[in-house]
Amino acid sequence: MTADLSPARLQVMWNRLLAVVEEQGQTLIRAAFSPIVRECGDISAGIFDVSGRMLAQAVTGTPGHINTMAEAVMHLRAHFPVQNMKPGDIYMTNDPWLASGHLNDFLLMMPAFKNGKVVGFTSCTSHLVDLGGLGMGPEGSDVYDEGLLIPPCKLVVEGVPNALLLDIVRANSREPIANEGDIYALIACCEAGVNRLVDMMDEFGIDDLDRLGSYIIDTSRRGTLEAIAEVPEGVYKNALKMDGYENELELHATLTVSKSGMHVDFTGTSGCSRKGINVPLNYATAYTVFALRCIVGSDIPNNAGSLEPFTVDGPKGCILNAQRPVPVAMRHTLGQVTPDLVLGCLHQALPDAVPAEGASCMFDLPMRHAPEVARDGGREFAVEPVHNGGTGARPHADGLSATAYPSGVFGSQVEITESVAPVTIWRRELRPDSGGAGKYRGGLGQRIEVTSANGAPFIVFLSVERLKFPALGRRGGQPGAPGCIRFRDSESDIPGKGELRVEDGDYLIFETPGGGGFGLPAERDAQAVALDLKRGLISEDGAKAYGGAT
C-alpha cells in the first residue's frame, strides 16, 4: 500500500515532527542534573534529514544552541561517514567553532535507522556547568585556558557509552556528578527523538524522510522569501557602543535586503579582546538570524528552509568572527547583543515593527568556591545562576520585565540556587524606574543581593554588559537604566568583567539593566502612568518623565 503523501497529509506529519522535537527537549530538561538546564532551559533539540538538513526544532531552547545546532550537525555528518554508522551510535563535540561557541556546550547527534538504513538524525545541545580550566569566566588568555575541548568523537558505540570519555570529563570538572548526569540526559534526549521519529514513520507508512523533508524545506523557504519581499529593499547600517573588557568596543552591522534574502556584514566591528568575550561567527550568526526572524516570517517554523535566505559574515579576527584559539568562554556577552545591533538596521526599513533595545545580555553569574576552600576541606561547588534585565518596549506594548530576550533562558530561582550552592539571596525584586520612559515603557531590570551562606569566600566570574551604555529607546523613547554591580558598603561600582572575590560578610548587589522606551513619553496614556505608580514600577520622580501624561 502506497503511503498518502498529499499536502494535507504532509502537513500533519510536519506537525507531528514538531511534537516529537518538543518531547525531545522536555526529556532533556526533566532528566538533567544542573539547574541551568533543568530549571533555566539552556538547551536545544532537533530532527534532521539524512543529508543533515534541519527539519524541526523544539520551541523550548535558546537561539544560541538551536541555530548553531543546524550547522553543527552538518559538521558531524561530514566527519563521520554514514555507511560506518550503527544503530545506537551517538556522536558529540564541544569544539566552539563546530558546536555552539564555547566549551561548556556539548552537542550530540544520533542517527535514526529504519529497515537497516540511516533515515535521519536527532541532535541536542545543553550547557555543562564546569569543564575545568580557569572556570566559567572571561579570564582565559586562549581557549586552552577555558577547559576540556573534545573533538568530534563517538560518545556512545552501538548503545554502550564511551567509559573512557566519561572518565575524562569527570576528571576535568569541579562538578563531575552533575556533568555525568547531564551527559546521560543528552543521550536520553537523542534516544527519545530517534524512537519517536521511527514510530511516526511507522504510523504514517513512510520509509524515508525525502518527500516530507522537501515539503517542509520548500514550503518554509517560499514563505520566508515572501515575508522578506515585504521589507523595502536597500542597505541599512547600525552601530552600537559596548562596555567591552580592556576598553570600550564598537559593533557594526550592514543589512542588505533583496528579493533573494537578507545578508548581514559585521565590517567595522572592533577586533578581538585578549579576554574570553570573543564570539565565534557561528554563535553571532545564530542570534543575528534569530533577531531578523522575530520580525520577518516569525510564524514560519525554524528549519533549513526558513534559515536559508539569511546569511551573515564578518572580517576574520573581528570580535564577532573570532578565530581559534582566542578565548571564547563568555561569548554570549556580546553574541546576545547582536539582535539589538541588527534590529537597529531593520528599524530603518520597518520603523513601526521593531522594538527598542533591551538589556539583551544575560546577567550570567557563574560562581564557585575560592581556591583555599578546597585546600582546607570546605564545601566545593560550581553553579551558574542566570538573571535577566528588561526587554525593550514594543511598537504597541510595554517591554517585559526581568525577561530573557534574546536568550530565552529562564531566570534562576532563589530556592534552587540556595539549595545547590552555599549562598544566600536576600533580595530579588524589580527595579523601579529602570525601564525607559516612552509611549510604551521599557521592561524593568531587577535587583539581586547575595552573600556567603557558610562563612567561606567564593568567586564570581563577571561578564555582563550595559553598565556604561544603556539600552536605547526608539521613536523618541528614553533609554533604560544601565546595570550596576557593587558591594553594599562601598560607593564604588565594580567593573562588569573579571574575577570577583566575595569574602564572608560582603553583601553583593547586582542591578540588571532596563529596556528602552518606544515613542514619546508625553504620549503615554495617563491611566498607564497612574497604574505604574500604584504598582511601584515607577516612582513619583520617575513619573515626571511623562510630562503631560501625569
Side-chain angles (χ1 to χ4, degrees), residues 358-390:
S360 298
C361 167
M362 303 184 298
F363 256 58
D364 182 25
L365 304 170
M367 303 175 182
R368 67 171 171 85
H369 58 271
E372 68 270 22
V373 171
R375 292 194 298 268
D376 296 340
R379 179 176 174 183
E380 301 180 41
F381 74 97
V383 68
E384 194 169 341
V386 176
H387 301 286
N388 299 292

Side-chain angles (χ1 to χ4, degrees), residues 12-13 59 69 136 226 282 354 387 403 408 427 431 433 521:
V12 171
M13 285 190 272
V59 175
M69 178 180 65
M136 180 61 190
E226 289 172 358
N282 58 352
V354 176
H387 301 286
T403 297
R427 181 177 302 194
R431 292 177 64 194
D433 297 330

Side-chain angles (χ1 to χ4, degrees), residues 59-72:
V59 175
T60 303
T62 175
H65 288 168
I66 292 164
N67 290 356
T68 52
M69 178 180 65
E71 292 299 319

Side-chain angles (χ1 to χ4, degrees), residues 67 109 134 139 212 233 240 280 311 387 447 464 471 502 511:
N67 290 356
M109 180 190 80
L134 297 178
E139 293 304 294
L212 176 58
E233 292 188 76
L240 293 179
T311 55
H387 301 286
R447 177 185 174 108
V464 297
V502 182
E511 293 183 343

